[in-house]
Amino acid sequence: MNWILLITAGLFEVVWAVGLKYTAGFTRLWPSLLTLAAMAISVGLLSRAMTSLPVGTAYAIWVGIGAVGTAVCGIVLFGEAASAGRLISLALILCGIIGLKLAS
């Protein structure tokens, strides 16, 4: 169950990271409120997942999901570059996430 909480926390990290783009420096009310809610949910779920998961593993996986997910959203939503180097780097992060899960 804690792994599901951790993955969900990572997905909410993607939501708030992308949401920051839409807040315009927290000058837009609804995007700002949704982003702040996603932040609270993400950190809350991470905290719950850490009750039984190793802190280093849980945090690294949370950050990895957030980093990969945010980078992919940047490519898809904002037209950021999808160069071979970026895609290989994202794949390496994903391999690290999988490795941490398998090693736990």
Side-chain angles (χ1 to χ4, degrees), residues 11-104:
L11 295 174
F12 272 98
E13 184 184 6
V14 174
V15 170
W16 71 255
V18 172
L20 286 173
K21 181 83 168 170
Y22 292 102
T23 67
F26 289 103
T27 61
R28 298 179 63 214
L29 178 62
W30 290 111
S32 296
L33 292 176
L34 292 173
T35 298
L36 290 170
M39 286 177 177
I41 292 167
S42 179
V43 172
L45 290 173
L46 174 63
S47 175
R48 288 279 314 246
M50 283 185 172
T51 59
S52 69
L53 299 176
V55 66
T57 300
Y59 184 75
I61 290 174
W62 178 71
V63 169
I65 292 169
V68 171
T70 303
V72 169
C73 286
I75 292 167
V76 173
L77 298 175
F78 305 117
E80 296 176 3
S83 66
R86 284 188 82 185
L87 296 176
I88 290 169
S89 297
L90 291 173
L92 290 171
I93 294 171
L94 189 58
C95 287
I97 293 169
I98 293 167
L100 284 170
K101 166 61 175 116
L102 294 176
S104 294

